[in-house]
Amino acid sequence: MMKNLRISGIALVLVVLSLSCKEKKTELPGVPDFVPKEIIDDFRSKGLIINEGVTPPMLEGYYLASPLTLLVPFGPDDPYQAGKLFSDYRYSFYDQTDDNQIKYDFKSANGSATGTGTGSFISGEGNKFTLYSEQIGETYGIENKQITIISGELDSDGIKNWQEAFVFTYKGDDPNGQLIQVGQGRIIYDSDHISERVSSLRLDLSAGDPSESDALIGSQK
């Protein structure tokens, strides 16, 4: 009898834990479980547009996000304020599938950052989309991972109203605090409201200001 009660108690705990975990997952269909609902809700409350739906546009191609501008700092201790200009970025989106999986690579214009988006899912309807991914890269020689959400609207010239939100989940050795801390994040956007189509991921160092800091920078440079 006592053994049966113990087994029943363990089963009940497992059920409660299972329900609790399910409640923490995103309620948006298709969005990867590594993007918690709390993060989506927090970014959305701070101004990030989330485009829901299962018929997003075909995003494949190369785009230049410029000028990348800080929209929302990570908090009152962020050394930068809204309006701070960061280094431009180039993106290559490819291998978009019928079940809305997609891959992408990126480079910063000043050469400080490169990386790729893994496990990416794209939602949306018509020309509007939101992309969710785990972004893995290297910035100023420091390895890092982020949960990244990108939103915009596709048109013939590129992507309108580009927004990008990210929160750090890992970074390598950074003794001088050059990058933001794990758990911190920002929202940035293309402040001329059009991220133009470009011909490749190859950097054009003649465009923009190569001295601008990367959007992941933590300390003043």
Side-chain angles (χ1 to χ4, degrees):
M1 179 67 174
M2 184 61 68
K3 182 178 180 181
N4 288 337
L5 286 173
R6 287 175 179 171
I7 292 174
S8 298
I10 292 171
L12 179 60
V13 169
L14 290 175
V15 169
V16 171
L17 287 174
S18 176
L19 290 173
S20 175
C21 289
K22 287 180 180 179
E23 288 174 356
K24 292 182 180 179
K25 292 181 179 180
T26 177
E27 295 175 357
L28 301 176
V31 175
D33 290 340
F34 62 73
V35 185
K37 180 178 183 298
E38 291 82 358
I39 286 180
I40 297 174
D41 290 344
D42 181 58
F43 279 138
R44 182 182 247 162
S45 71
K46 293 174 179 175
L48 179 69
I49 296 171
I50 299 293
N51 295 301
E52 300 182 34
V54 295
T55 56
M58 181 60 67
L59 201 61
E60 293 192 359
Y62 302 96
Y63 303 89
L64 172 65
S66 171
L68 271 183
T69 307
L70 181 59
L71 180 65
V72 180
F74 62 67
D77 296 330
D78 196 321
Y80 300 114
Q81 302 301 312
K84 161 69 179 174
L85 290 177
F86 291 121
S87 175
D88 299 341
Y89 265 67
R90 286 188 177 226
Y91 295 80
S92 169
F93 297 99
Y94 57 96
D95 287 353
Q96 187 170 340
T97 65
D98 291 339
D99 60 350
N100 297 334
Q101 304 299 305
I102 190 170
K103 299 176 182 178
Y104 69 94
D105 301 320
F106 63 89
K107 290 182 179 180
S108 64
N110 64 9
S112 64
T114 60
T116 188
T118 66
S120 305
F121 175 81
I122 183 170
S123 66
E125 290 185 352
N127 289 328
K128 295 182 178 180
F129 70 91
T130 296
L131 183 152
Y132 309 83
S133 77
E134 180 179 50
Q135 197 164 276
I136 300 174
E138 186 174 292
T139 307
Y140 297 119
I142 302 167
E143 294 181 354
N144 58 81
K145 292 182 181 180
Q146 314 150 43
I147 293 172
T148 300
I149 305 174
I150 300 171
S151 288
E153 180 178 358
L154 190 67
D155 78 358
S156 58
D157 295 322
I159 296 173
K160 295 192 299 184
N161 302 320
W162 176 290
Q163 290 184 317
E164 181 173 349
F166 58 86
V167 60
F168 256 29
T169 58
Y170 164 82
K171 69 171 177 174
D173 188 32
D174 183 17
N176 298 318
Q178 196 169 6
L179 304 185
I180 63 174
Q181 300 301 310
V182 171
Q184 293 177 337
R186 291 177 173 135
I187 303 177
I188 56 178
Y189 74 113
D190 187 327
S191 57
D192 70 2
H193 305 292
I194 182 69
S195 299
E196 298 89 353
R197 291 181 183 272
V198 290
S199 60
S200 73
L201 199 61
R202 184 175 298 173
L203 301 179
D204 180 5
L205 296 180
S206 66
D209 183 354
S211 68
E212 294 289 1
S213 300
D214 191 88
L216 307 183
I217 197 70
S219 57
Q220 298 273 8
K221 292 196 73 181

